[in-house]
Amino acid sequence: MAEQLATGSRRGLRPALPLLLPAYLWLTVAIFLPLSAMVFFSFMTDLPLAGKEWSFTLGNYAAFFSQSLYLTLLLASLRLGLEVTLWCVVIGYPAAYVLAKVLKGRSREAIFLLVILPFWSNGLVRIFSWAMVLREGGILDITLNAVLPFKINIDLMYSYPAVIIGLVHSYVPYMVLTCYLTLQAIDDSLIEAGRSLGASRLQMLKRVIIPLSMPGLIAGAALIFVPVVGSFMEPRILGGRTGTFYGTVIEDQFVAVFNWPLGAALSFILLAVVLVILALAAPVLRRAG
Amino acid sequence: MAGVQVSNVSRSFGAHKALDHVSIDFPDGGFYALLGPSGSGKTTLLRQIAGFDFPDSGRIAIGGESVERVPVEKRRIGMVFQNYALFPNMSVADNVAFGLSVRGEAKATIATEVQRALDLVQLGKLGGRRPHQLSGGQRQRVALARAIVTKPRVLLLDEPLGALDKALRVDMQIELKRIQREIGITTIFVTHDQEEALTMSDRIGILRDGRLVQEGPPEEIYDRPQSEFAATFLGDANIFRGDATGHGIRLPDGMTIAAGSGPSLAAGTKASCAVRPERIQISTGNAKLDMGNANMLEGQVSKRIFAGNNSTYFVDRDGQTVKVIVQNTGAERLAEGQPVVLSWSPESTVLIAA
Ligand SMILES: Nc1ncnc2c1ncn2[C@@H]1O[C@H](COP(=O)(O)OP(=O)(O)OP(=O)(O)O)[C@@H](O)[C@H]1O
Ligand SMILES: [Mg+2]
């Protein structure tokens, strides 16, 4: 399969060039140029704005290694990324399975709409509505107290779980969509064939369905893990004092402290770490699938 | 091994009756072909037997035991799907091993059984390949090996040769029949190719609109169809319609046709006679006729189609076209427009109630 694709794309490359050109132009202008500027900034002592003196330095990168705080925060952010990704798998994969294999027709369309609704709502609105639900005496408390016979006070606001809840809610649609696409491509007759051979539903899941939907799981995990590690909005609003992560520190450098060079350097360290993790994980995941 | 009894099984999808009181006894160790036009309920019946779907009413028994409450994975059936349904994430050997390994068989047992099954379908050397590296016929044989390696009680095949070209199809028919005989498994084979049904099976069941039209050994259905549908669907037939005379029919123009078999019908009721094209003798007026050919009609050749070893003549008489197939023995060919005499014996004629 891989070889076929490779030869196919090689043959198809020349006529495809005009089609690819707009995308590459756009990528060059919108991503490559600003990114190069950022690389440049990350090696400066100060911004060349407002006529300040500046020179080249490795100090911004050295700062990461000289202060253990950055490493601690990076590890906390990686853990956050891992946990959110896992929760998205736990919640998103079964949902995708039901959408792809159990529901049919109208009900499938309706549920699908509900799943991708978060995509269409503004990120800030989404986060602040969670704040209203989770804060002390908020909607969650009111609801629980109305149902439960005893007084309860779950103050989830400004806590690690609140950050997780907010992030999972924002990112779970990615997992549902990528898994839905791969699950839907699995022919129902494969499942019937397996069951006629004596496999239980659980055995079918383990041996056929999960391996065949692995590409969707991997794509979903990559789409979620990378932005969550660098996230700052949800940690700041829902996490409060507990919400200091690597992403919020980078944001501070840009919007509060105005130390763009340090912010840029920290970003590229994050980028490098994430790329290394993805490179290490790829062969393991590919073998599983 | 076990036979399968389907008694009075009905299954509706909404208002549509996909199966309507179907009863068939599939004999132990036999090769049974389910034949019928598209949408007649063949796949639906197979799915009831496999347990992928459940009848609204009626009873299905495998090996004498009702399987009403037995789920698919416990029915011990082997199924070959039209699209083969091989697991693309596994090698050929792992595909074949699947049924044994989910049962928790020992590794060594699995290895020998898989090799034996692959040898049986003559794919012994291809165990390491992936399904997408195989040809259609090879995939079909892997699907067969995978279905029989678990020693199922019944083998269900849903148009397994449908996707193959003619030559490969004939090879696979022979192969399938050989394997079936070798392991003696009760086999139910869905097809809408009547030739395939005739050459391969011990018994044939013809379905139409969810109902069983007729069933029995191939010769019996071919020689004594009980309906115009059975006569024309399995093989080719000339149908003459008229009024029953007791032992035949009278055509509208007054000619009579004598039938050697069929039900006894009250004189005057509407009835028809079916005659196979190859049973009719065609001759010019002065040629000598066979002694037994009591049925005789006159007509005119309207068309002749040459097909190598035989020729098909279309003969017009009284507004009807009669089809006649003649072996090409080198004798004189009849020209279009030539007046001819058609004759055949009552033994070749079946009376059918309208
Ligand atoms: N799941 C279903 N929902 C609704 N209708 C169905 C379903 N399965 C089958 N049918 C209907 O039942 C009838 C019989 O279908 P079935 O698949 O058994 O036909 P078949 O004889 O196998 O035809 P073919 O030769 O085309 O495969 C068809 O009219 C079909 O539309
Ligand atoms: Mg079918």
Side-chain angles (χ1 to χ4, degrees), chain B residues 197-217:
Chain B
L198 283 171
T199 54
M200 294 180 75
S201 50
D202 311 321
R203 289 180 82 82
I204 294 176
I206 300 180
L207 287 173
R208 181 198 196 185
D209 296 335
R211 249 171 282 181
L212 184 67
V213 174
Q214 189 175 352
E215 72 113 31

Side-chain angles (χ1 to χ4, degrees), chain A residues 1 4 187 189-190 192-201 203-204 207-208 211-212, chain B residues 47 52 72-73 77 79 81 83 85-90 98-99 101-103 132 146:
Chain A
M1 194 78 166
Q4 283 172 355
D187 198 323
S189 67
L190 286 186
E192 292 188 338
R195 300 203 52 217
S196 76
L197 289 165
S200 66
R201 284 168 200 276
Q203 282 171 318
M204 277 315 287
R207 298 208 173 190
V208 178
L212 286 178
Chain B
R47 292 173 60 82
F52 295 131
V72 185
E73 59 267 31
I77 48 124
M79 177 115 184
F81 294 79
N83 64 355
L86 298 177
F87 305 125
N89 57 318
M90 299 178 199
F98 187 86
S101 83
V102 294
R103 281 176 176 74
H132 69 84
R146 185 179 66 173

